[in-house]
Amino acid sequence: MVLGLTVSVWVFLTGTDERSDVIGYEMVDGKAYPITTSDSKRYRHDLERFGGKSAVFADDLARWFTSLWHGKRLALTLAVLTVGIAFACFRAAERMPADPGGEGKNSTQD
């Protein structure tokens, strides 16, 4: 758990949130916001025209899932997975019998 959280912090501190599918930027109140291919109206219109609303939903879901494995979001994903796996291991250890082999101190008495 310590190793997983340490790696997560390292990824967070060194990771960037740069996107590779940026086609332009929009300026709002002096701040630049990236415009990606999936944000363009033409892309979404064509996607809906060929595949329907389910294709647009599937594309949004796939882009969200892909975004979990890049940049600072990867750090959060690693931290959540680390805590989840550690919790599962602790719960499994709690459910194990205290003496799985049945060879306790009292088993050798006749």
Side-chain angles (χ1 to χ4, degrees):
M1 185 169 163
V2 172
L3 178 65
L5 292 177
T6 302
V7 169
S8 177
V9 168
W10 178 77
V11 168
F12 183 80
L13 294 176
T14 60
T16 61
D17 286 332
E18 294 179 11
R19 299 185 65 164
S20 62
D21 60 344
V22 174
I23 59 173
Y25 291 90
E26 181 177 317
M27 295 295 288
V28 177
D29 294 330
K31 187 172 181 184
Y33 293 96
I35 300 173
T36 61
T37 54
S38 64
D39 293 333
S40 72
K41 290 181 182 180
R42 180 168 184 95
Y43 173 80
R44 295 186 66 83
H45 174 266
D46 289 345
L47 187 62
E48 185 174 350
R49 193 172 115 207
F50 292 117
K53 293 197 182 287
S54 61
V56 174
F57 175 73
D59 184 60
D60 288 342
L61 185 65
R63 287 180 187 276
W64 169 78
F65 187 74
T66 303
S67 75
L68 293 178
W69 305 104
H70 299 286
K72 294 191 184 282
R73 287 184 132 196
L74 174 61
L76 180 62
T77 303
L78 288 174
V80 168
L81 286 174
T82 298
V83 170
I85 290 171
F87 178 75
C89 288
F90 287 131
R91 292 291 292 172
E94 282 180 352
R95 295 183 184 268
M96 289 181 65
D99 193 8
E103 298 178 11
K105 295 177 184 176
N106 297 330
S107 66
T108 58
Q109 294 178 356
D110 290 327

